[in-house]
Amino acid sequence: MSFPWANHYAPKHPLMKWIDDRLPLPRLVYNAVGAGYPVPRNLNYFWNFGVLSGAALAIQIVTGIVLAMHYAANGLVAFDSVEHIMRDVNSGWMLRYAHANGASFFFIVVYLHIFRGLFYGSYKAPREMVWLLGLVIFLLMMATAFMGYVLPWGQMSFWGAKVITGLFGAIPVVGTPIQTWLLGGFAPDNAALNRFFSLHYLLPFVIAGVIILHIWALHIPGSSNPTGIDVKGPQDTVPFHPYYTAKDGFGLGVFLILYCAVLFFAPNAMGHPDNYIAANPLSTPAHIVPEWYFWPFYAILRAFTVDFILPAKLWGVIAMFGSIILLFFLPWLDKSPVRSGNYRPAFKKFFWLLVIDVLILGYCGGSPAEEPYVMISQLAAAYYFAHFLIILPIVSRMERPLPLPNSITEAVLEKHGNAAA
Amino acid sequence: MATLETTETPGEGAGDGVRRRDFINLAAVSFAGVGAATVLLPLINQMNPSADVLALASIEVDLSAIKEGQAIKTIFRKQPLFVRHLTAAEIAAADKVDPSSLRDPQTLEQRTVDGKKQWLITMGVCTHLGCVPLGAGEGEIKGEFGGYFCPCHGSSYDTAARIRKGPAPKNLEVPKYAFKSDTVVQVG
């Protein structure tokens, strides 16, 4: 772990020495996110989003724990208890908006973190495990966010729960029993609400645990960097603290400003007004949509309209889950030895096409299930799969990458002129 | 370690490489495995519907107030139930269709009780992802086949509540029901 030239932890205060001999926790922190972790000197601001994701999780856990002090997970009173938080609980409105928008901002920074990884080839050897654990975190986040959205027990909560658990009903033979088992009934009701609350409280801590594994796996080879080339010597790195604690601190400040701007001035901009109507099992909202961060996947789910051997519904479910499962194979689909998209001219173009494709899918997922959106989602979903299964493997074999710099230091000096040295 | 294990007292090993200790290890771990699986069972089973949820009694529906061409929504097992009084034109439209051309081939006869063809009783749960289709309420759109239309993903059902267009794989489910008299039906 880490490079031989990493700073060594040397406690000066007798108390710190005493602690270090008995429980070397400060040493662990020093080596993980302190001056003892050497990091490539050329990281750009896209490398902020890991820390920002961690900050977003912390915000969610803190606001979530206090909201749970006032929320009641019972179908009869859940909706009212959320209104009670909004109107009666001291600062309750702020805490709830902070939690609801915190989820959106968590996904914003995580999506940027994922696309950073896609562009700079952070999923490639020797960091495959970092990528795989990151995807596990992403799946856990999706489950947590979905169950959290059910808790206010509004119309979108109820119907979202029904549609998403209905996905499992698409599985042949065992589907309906699984759906009934998940819900604890034939439709979302008290049993479902209670278990979702229980799991919604549990999963963030599981996420925190997997994040520790994610960082552990990252620190074996060390952080990647925008050139994608390996660290060659001490001149290529700077200690994490104070250099990147400062850079991340600045990024965190910008993040918090944007977060607070939405939280205080447009707290419902990313929510759906129908969720302010109490759950009604007899009336489906005209247009059921999940939260915005699920839209691309929702578009893929709805893209299948024709039976082909299997029912269309099952294809949609397979494709939706497949679109994420596929990412687990990414390190082996993209065989190019060059990591960074900056040195891969063809890959770079297709990367931006993928970004546009996902944005189109997202737009279609948030639109009603009618033409032209269905047709557009079908094309965009097909392109999504083609990107990973056809384009990437071919591009990584055919493409002639640009010449790589000899070292990180050389790349930095070239960019800023020798004066910067 | 290896040398230690091979120098065992005679009588412990059977001479074929399988030792008494291997058997004890295997038996102990298997037993613990069975125990763990046994403990897991109630942990999984607790998530199945509880007795009060399962005990939801069957319901009786009074049909006398439902005029021809009308439909009502009621609740059966916490889910919407559609009861529809078909008009002669709707019955004719349903009969005109060749069942073999359907995604889920069924005739109107198979979906209703003998001699009560005008009473179409189905769950109000779209077989796609469980939304409540429109078409049973006053003034709701019925879709292009005149039956029900699911607003979530655009599935259209015909006047026999059979799936005709859109992503739903099956016809609207017909629950178990029986006529207690000409105007009262018991569902469940």
Side-chain angles (χ1 to χ4, degrees):
Chain A
M1 188 163 170
S2 194
F3 300 110
W5 57 88
N7 293 325
H8 283 282
Y9 179 67
K12 290 193 185 70
H13 195 279
L15 176 66
M16 295 308 282
K17 255 192 180 112
W18 185 89
I19 293 174
D20 190 49
D21 288 340
R22 285 154 183 84
L23 178 74
L25 185 64
R27 174 183 294 273
L28 182 78
V29 172
Y30 180 92
N31 287 332
V33 288
Y37 178 50
V39 188
R41 61 191 281 186
N42 59 337
L43 301 192
N44 60 32
Y45 277 108
F46 282 106
W47 264 259
N48 273 9
F49 290 99
V51 164
L52 295 183
S53 306
L57 177 68
I59 291 172
Q60 289 308 87
I61 288 181
V62 170
T63 52
I65 286 173
V66 291
L67 284 171
M69 295 178 186
H70 304 279
Y71 170 78
N74 182 299
L76 295 175
V77 293
F79 185 82
D80 292 339
S81 80
V82 171
E83 285 311 304
H84 158 74
I85 289 170
M86 292 301 286
R87 292 152 196 253
D88 303 337
V89 173
N90 301 308
S91 307
W93 61 272
M94 194 186 88
L95 293 166
R96 176 165 171 267
Y97 280 154
H99 197 69
N101 287 292
S104 280
F105 273 84
F106 197 175
F107 276 96
I108 291 172
V109 291
V110 161
Y111 280 135
L112 287 166
H113 190 57
I114 292 173
F115 276 108
R116 191 288 317 271
L118 284 173
F119 182 80
Y120 290 107
S122 306
Y123 47 85
K124 291 187 185 180
R127 296 184 187 80
E128 299 98 323
M129 192 56 92
V130 185
W131 173 253
L132 300 179
L133 287 166
L135 289 173
V136 170
I137 294 170
F138 181 50
L139 286 173
L140 286 168
M141 272 178 72
M142 294 175 97
T144 311
F146 158 66
M147 288 191 275
Y149 195 54
V150 175
L151 302 184
W153 211 233
Q155 273 290 66
M156 282 296 168
S157 301
F158 180 90
W159 291 99
K162 190 143 184 179
V163 169
I164 300 298
T165 55
L167 298 182
F168 293 90
I171 303 167
V173 190
V174 290
T176 312
I178 288 180
Q179 188 187 352
T180 310
W181 177 74
L182 285 171
L183 288 172
F186 306 103
D189 201 9
N190 222 7
L193 182 59
N194 262 296
R195 68 191 53 179
F196 284 4
F197 181 54
S198 168
L199 295 173
H200 182 71
Y201 207 118
L202 165 73
L203 289 185
F205 298 97
V206 178
I207 291 176
V210 184
I211 285 175
I212 289 173
L213 300 182
H214 187 63
I215 296 173
W216 187 5
L218 171 70
H219 284 207
I220 301 297
S223 301
S224 178
N225 69 87
T227 65
I229 55 179
D230 291 326
V231 167
K232 301 239 162 72
Q235 73 283 3
D236 287 345
T237 67
V238 288
F240 188 82
H241 178 75
Y243 291 94
Y244 286 110
T245 42
K247 189 160 183 158
D248 286 335
F250 176 75
L252 184 62
V254 174
F255 169 75
L256 289 176
I257 288 171
L258 294 173
Y259 171 55
C260 288
V262 173
L263 162 53
F264 290 108
F265 296 103
N268 287 309
M270 289 185 278
H272 200 290
D274 276 30
N275 223 27
Y276 284 107
I277 303 168
N280 179 357
L282 291 191
S283 155
T284 311
H287 170 204
I288 296 183
V289 279
E291 290 274 78
W292 68 266
Y293 37 78
F294 292 137
W295 286 354
F297 304 102
Y298 198 53
I300 293 176
L301 171 74
R302 297 192 303 186
F304 289 81
T305 50
V306 180
D307 294 353
F308 174 69
I309 306 173
L310 299 172
K313 173 179 167 182
L314 186 56
W315 278 117
V317 174
I318 292 171
M320 190 186 70
F321 286 110
S323 66
I324 298 169
I325 302 298
L326 182 65
L327 297 177
F328 281 89
F329 297 94
L330 180 58
W332 298 276
L333 289 169
D334 178 5
K335 291 274 194 191
S336 172
V338 175
R339 295 194 190 101
S340 171
N342 280 335
Y343 301 96
R344 303 182 60 190
F347 169 85
K348 200 175 188 170
K349 293 194 184 83
F350 285 112
F351 169 83
W352 288 110
L353 276 179
L354 177 73
V355 172
I356 294 167
D357 185 61
V358 171
L359 291 175
I360 291 173
L361 276 174
Y363 184 79
C364 291
S367 303
E370 49 196 45
E371 295 299 348
Y373 304 116
V374 176
M375 168 81 84
I376 297 171
S377 338
Q378 287 168 341
L379 295 174
Y383 184 79
Y384 178 92
F385 285 97
H387 174 87
F388 290 105
L389 293 173
I390 301 168
I391 295 171
L392 264 192
I394 292 177
V395 162
S396 62
R397 277 174 183 78
M398 311 290 279
E399 166 183 67
R400 175 190 283 267
L402 302 177
L404 291 171
N406 288 319
S407 74
I408 291 172
T409 305
E410 190 193 281
V412 171
L413 294 184
E414 232 166 61
K415 203 171 162 191
H416 296 286
N418 286 332
Chain B
M1 224 18 216
T3 43
L4 253 181
E5 280 179 7
T6 48
T7 57
E8 276 170 14
T9 50
E12 272 218 50
D16 53 1
V18 181
R19 293 166 303 133
R20 208 170 105 104
R21 180 145 299 181
D22 290 335
F23 173 77
I24 293 172
N25 275 346
L26 210 64
V29 171
S30 309
F31 202 73
V34 171
T38 314
V39 172
L40 210 59
L41 255 179
L43 288 175
I44 292 171
N45 193 34
Q46 55 85 19
M47 279 177 68
N48 274 319
S50 52
D52 60 323
V53 171
L54 289 175
L56 286 171
S58 53
I59 57 161
E60 283 189 4
V61 184
D62 182 5
L63 303 177
S64 56
I66 310 170
K67 297 198 182 70
E68 208 177 288
Q70 262 192 339
I72 61 157
K73 287 184 207 176
T74 177
I75 302 175
F76 172 60
R77 290 189 181 159
K78 298 242 172 180
Q79 296 180 91
L81 179 79
F82 293 164
V83 181
R84 185 157 173 166
H85 194 167
L86 297 174
T87 62
E90 286 172 333
I91 293 172
D95 285 341
K96 214 168 57 192
V97 182
D98 174 19
S100 61
S101 69
L102 298 175
R103 186 178 300 173
D104 184 9
Q106 270 185 320
T107 60
L108 182 60
E109 272 81 17
Q110 288 168 321
R111 297 175 57 73
T112 50
V113 170
D114 278 344
K116 305 266 189 201
K117 213 170 157 182
Q118 72 274 33
W119 293 108
L120 179 67
I121 301 179
T122 60
M123 299 304 297
V125 180
C126 180
T127 55
H128 180 220
L129 293 173
C131 297
V132 179
L134 300 173
E138 197 73 41
E140 288 179 353
I141 50 167
K142 296 180 172 181
E144 60 185 284
F145 296 95
Y148 300 104
F149 174 74
C150 182
C152 294
H153 305 97
S155 293
S156 291
Y157 297 87
D158 65 10
T159 51
R162 295 174 298 198
I163 180 64
R164 295 295 288 276
K165 197 182 167 193
K170 295 247 170 229
N171 302 333
L172 286 188
E173 187 193 342
V174 177
K176 227 186 262 174
Y177 67 91
F179 278 87
K180 298 195 82 179
S181 72
D182 267 358
T183 56
V184 176
V185 66
Q186 180 179 325
V187 185

